[in-house]
Amino acid sequence: MSLSRALLCLLLASPTVLAILQAPALPSAQPVTTADRIYTADQTSNTITVIKPLTNEVLGTIALGLPRMTNVLNPQYLQVVNSHGLGFSLDGVYLSHVSVTTNTLTVIRTANNSIVSQTSVDRASHEAFFEHDGRTVWVACRGTNFVNLVDGMNGGVIDRIETPPGPSKVLFSPNGKLAYVNHIKSPTISIIDVATRKVVGTITGLGDVFSDMMISADGSRLWAVHKMIGKPSIIDLETRTVVTVLDTGLESNHPNFAIINETTFGFIFLTFFKSIPASGTEPHGIWCSPDNKFMYWANEHSDTVDVVDLSTMSVVSTLSVGQESQALAFVANAVPPSSNTTGRENLGRQGLDKRVENRLISVTNSTKATALFTTRELEGLDMVQIIGRSLQINQTYVATAICYGYSAEVARFTIVKFKAIVPIPAELGCVVAPQVLSFLPFFDNYDIDSLELGLN
């Protein structure tokens, strides 16, 4: 069984010409320069990795707090936890970042990687993006019915816009006049007038809830990908209607766009379809260079970023980044010459050069259930993460491995027990276990190739 997820490329209509700076961009946009940066939000190491795309150099990481599982459960721990969502201002001056466990929006000055402000927002915040004024950040908070508006320079929530339940992500039209909000609990897209802060329309007929989304460079299409059913809804933003729902495969996720030979391609991460094979495991987060020559994605379970040459549709370089990247953003002109900075200020090495191993196994006594084991080196302990697929509902599973130094009769020890309860709409009666975690000194004491998962 392959550990790599892959990318599916699908054709859209040819674009019109409009010069914009940030990707997704039309063909008139500038090439990659020394001022550009790529950022990944790394959940386990609690960092943002900073990359110089002109040379594919990993410059270092911005430490937002302590990594798992050091001191983050201490009642006196005051920093943020679980680096996750990324956005940026249109001019590239600021990066917006969401820490999903502490519900914190952090605004970072890209020229020197310094923190401008931090704001506590509503429950289960997920993704945030700058309004075109370059100051106001819109934060989608999944645990509420609200999008929070934050003063990115001074900090603080300055407004809330009510939407259907579970707003998950906010994107803006190319001219900045409209905002589009998807939802984890509603199969709709809310359309908000940015000037009045009012909902002015709703797009219905989506294939499902729980979607990630992106707008094409010309502003004509929005792709909302429904991970749990493996279907993207393709939306015409001029008519505000769903024109089709594609069947791309289970766990499709994270769409983005690139224009190749005057044709717009949509890119979607897939688990069970191969078009451009990723070098690592579980891609999560994708962005194109403004000149449409390179696509970049993070491999969540391999702690790497792939660089894809779009002229050959192949991975040409793989970079080691922080641990468990959840998002990736390409920010053009992040460190312009006028900033009088090197772009290396305030960077360290937290989360880099750590061991990570993946094993995909069949579940014992099952004809189709599988489990992906990801084992990471942490500070003091290691983290074993399990993603179980096609499991039996409400059944207890036990993960085991052989411990070094014991006789064969007693060598296998329990790593963790869990129940799988998240249903799979496309597989009646089956469930997934999306993130089971166990912390123990694994690498020095257990045989990673002996990992097993079975019913208790």
Side-chain angles (χ1 to χ4, degrees), residues 115-240:
I115 293 177
V116 177
S117 70
Q118 286 189 313
T119 299
S120 295
V121 294
D122 286 341
R123 183 173 179 270
S125 53
H126 182 240
E127 298 279 0
F129 228 88
F130 272 89
E131 185 181 322
H132 283 201
D133 66 356
R135 183 184 186 98
T136 308
V137 186
W138 294 44
V139 188
C141 300
R142 284 175 163 179
T144 72
N145 293 9
F146 294 96
V147 173
N148 287 190
L149 274 59
V150 174
D151 181 342
M153 302 303 102
N154 296 322
V157 177
I158 57 176
D159 202 355
R160 287 178 172 86
I161 301 174
E162 187 170 5
T163 72
S168 185
K169 188 171 185 175
V170 182
L171 294 175
F172 293 92
S173 59
N175 63 13
K177 293 182 178 180
L178 295 174
Y180 299 90
V181 182
N182 64 350
H183 308 88
I184 197 171
K185 295 181 180 179
S186 173
T188 61
I189 303 286
S190 298
I191 305 172
I192 301 172
D193 181 89
V194 172
T196 64
R197 313 293 203 232
K198 302 293 185 183
V199 176
V200 295
T202 301
I203 300 172
T204 60
L206 275 68
D208 195 20
V209 298
F210 198 111
S211 61
D212 190 73
M213 63 179 185
M214 183 55 70
I215 297 174
S216 61
D218 62 1
S220 67
R221 289 286 191 268
L222 184 152
W223 284 26
V225 180
H226 313 294
K227 180 177 180 179
M228 298 308 293
I229 65 169
K231 295 182 179 182
S233 297
I234 313 301
I235 297 166
D236 185 326
L237 291 180
E238 293 184 5
T239 62
R240 299 180 178 179

Side-chain angles (χ1 to χ4, degrees), residues 66-79 81:
L66 297 177
R68 292 175 178 169
M69 283 285 296
T70 50
N71 204 35
V72 297
L73 299 181
N74 189 315
Q76 296 181 8
Y77 177 80
L78 301 178
Q79 295 175 292
V81 179

Side-chain angles (χ1 to χ4, degrees), residues 40 76 78 203 228 274 294 342 350 413:
T40 64
Q76 296 181 8
L78 301 178
I203 300 172
M228 298 308 293
K274 289 189 177 181
F294 296 96
T342 66
Q350 182 170 306
F413 287 85

Side-chain angles (χ1 to χ4, degrees), residues 325-345:
S325 297
Q326 301 294 299
L328 180 148
F330 187 111
V331 182
N333 206 39
V335 189
S338 59
S339 68
N340 295 317
T341 63
T342 66
R344 298 174 182 266
E345 294 85 353

Side-chain angles (χ1 to χ4, degrees), residues 247-265:
D247 189 355
T248 50
L250 287 177
E251 297 193 45
S252 300
N253 202 7
H254 284 264
N256 217 307
F257 298 94
I259 299 171
I260 305 169
N261 296 325
E262 300 184 352
T263 298
T264 298
F265 284 74

